[in-house]
């Protein structure tokens, strides 16, 4: 059996190579965008083939820990919420967690991000949050565009919190929101119901712009009371 095949089946050499790359990043205090040595350099250090290192680099790239491709050397990657998003999608599909459980976690996190955003936000953050709230109102009859603004609105608040982990966890909910939020909007049958939700987003944006963390917390809480009710009404109708 060739080394490349045994690596794929057993994984031990690849695991060792993955650990070595991670150790190199830590011990050299590398930051996002820094260039890593090539596959050949690591292969020589470890005494393994380039096939092993190629598999290790592919593993790290799939985990979004390094960026590879386009003929460039591998670079240290930025944290990426899409990795967690994939895990959440799998967890829901295999009934390990429910939509209700994820929404409960999301609510807890977003109450805190709203508070922090009201304290930490920059002027540019405040403008971005309000722009997305106004974008939702302007696209009230264009559901796909409205949903994009809605998702971006929540991500902008998380970004404004100043905590990169909050931002990336909120980003990880994007795929779920892309399904659940349109479903919730379909339950808002009247213009008054839809306008009420749009007004909630604007009020929340303004509390953050006003640097009022208590009001931002309360507005986000009210928003989730409405949104969660709409979402689970939709799911109960569908079932």
């Amino acid at each position: 059996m060739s080394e490349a095949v045994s690596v794929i089946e057993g994984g031990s050499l690849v695991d060792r190579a993955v650990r070595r790359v991670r150790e190199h990043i830590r011990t050299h205090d590398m930051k996002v965008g820094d260039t890593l040595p090539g596959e050949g350099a690591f292969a020589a250090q470890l005494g393994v083939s380039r096939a092993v290192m190629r598999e290790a680099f592919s593993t790290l790239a799939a985990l979004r820990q390094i960026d590879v491709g386009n003929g460039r050397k591998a670079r240290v990657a930025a944290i990426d919420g899409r990795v967690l998003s994939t895990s959440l999608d799998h967890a829901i599909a295999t009934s390990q967690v429910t939509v209700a459980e994820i929404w409960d976690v999301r609510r807890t996190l977003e109450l805190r991000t709203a508070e922090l955003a009201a304290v930490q936000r920059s002027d540019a953050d405040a403008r971005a949050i309000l722009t997305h709230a106004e974008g939702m109102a302007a696209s009230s009859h264009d559901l796909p565009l409205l949903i994009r603004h809605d998702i971006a609105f929540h991500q902008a608040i998380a970004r404004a919190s100043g905590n990169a982990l909050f931002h990336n966890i909120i980003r990880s909910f994007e795929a779920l929101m892309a399904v659940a939020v349109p479903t919730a909007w379909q339950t808002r049958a009247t213009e008054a119901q839809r306008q009420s939700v749009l007004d909630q987003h604007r009020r929340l944006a303004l509390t953050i712009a006003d640097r009022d963390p208590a009001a931002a917390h309360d507005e986000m809480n009210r928003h989730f009371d409405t949104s969660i009710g709409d979402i689970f009404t939709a799911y109960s109708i569908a079932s």
Side-chain angles (χ1 to χ4, degrees):
M1 182 181 293
S2 70
E3 180 187 26
V5 173
S6 66
V7 165
I8 293 171
E9 293 182 352
S12 59
L13 288 177
V14 173
D15 289 344
R16 180 183 167 204
V18 166
R19 289 195 300 271
R20 180 67 189 90
V21 176
R22 287 172 171 161
E23 288 168 3
H24 180 92
I25 292 171
R26 286 194 299 270
T27 58
H28 288 78
D29 194 28
M30 299 183 75
K31 306 302 180 188
V32 173
D34 287 349
T35 302
L36 287 157
E39 295 172 359
F42 279 114
Q45 290 176 25
L46 287 168
V48 298
S49 71
R50 290 180 70 105
V52 169
M53 288 311 308
R54 192 171 302 114
E55 185 72 16
F57 272 38
S58 294
T59 297
L60 289 164
L63 293 171
R64 307 286 198 272
Q65 294 180 10
I66 65 173
D67 289 325
V68 297
N70 298 324
R72 295 184 291 104
K73 286 189 175 181
R75 298 175 184 270
V76 178
I79 185 173
D80 191 335
R82 286 176 295 177
V83 176
L84 181 55
S85 179
T86 300
S87 295
L88 289 176
D89 185 58
H90 172 72
I92 293 171
T94 54
S95 301
Q96 297 181 66
V97 298
T98 65
V99 171
E101 288 170 334
I102 290 179
W103 239 249
D104 190 29
V105 170
R106 186 184 154 213
R107 179 180 194 149
T108 301
L109 292 173
E110 295 217 44
L111 292 178
R112 181 58 176 158
T113 61
E115 291 176 334
L116 286 174
V119 175
Q120 302 286 355
R121 62 87 176 159
S122 66
D123 289 345
D125 289 327
R127 285 194 299 272
I129 294 165
L130 186 56
T131 294
H132 288 303
E134 292 174 342
M136 289 178 66
S139 55
S140 59
H141 298 291
D142 183 346
L143 186 58
L145 181 57
L146 185 151
I147 299 308
R148 288 199 292 274
H149 277 298
D150 195 354
I151 291 171
F153 174 84
H154 288 274
Q155 292 182 3
I157 292 173
R159 186 183 302 108
S161 75
N163 186 318
L165 187 55
F166 274 143
H167 180 222
N168 278 278
I169 293 174
I170 299 303
R171 282 186 65 201
S172 75
F173 298 133
E174 182 172 337
L176 181 61
M177 289 179 69
V179 175
V181 176
T183 303
W185 272 95
Q186 290 170 7
T187 70
R188 297 160 188 159
T190 69
E191 189 65 31
Q193 288 175 321
R194 291 189 288 270
Q195 189 61 49
S196 175
V197 174
L198 296 171
D199 289 344
Q200 272 187 338
H201 283 77
R202 181 174 174 80
R203 286 196 303 271
L204 175 53
L206 291 175
T207 62
I208 292 171
D210 290 342
R211 298 190 184 278
D212 189 338
H217 176 282
D218 290 346
E219 286 297 341
M220 183 67 85
N221 201 34
R222 279 190 284 271
H223 170 49
F224 267 88
D225 280 342
T226 301
S227 296
I228 289 174
D230 291 344
I231 287 167
F232 290 109
T233 295
Y235 280 130
S236 65
I237 291 172
S239 61

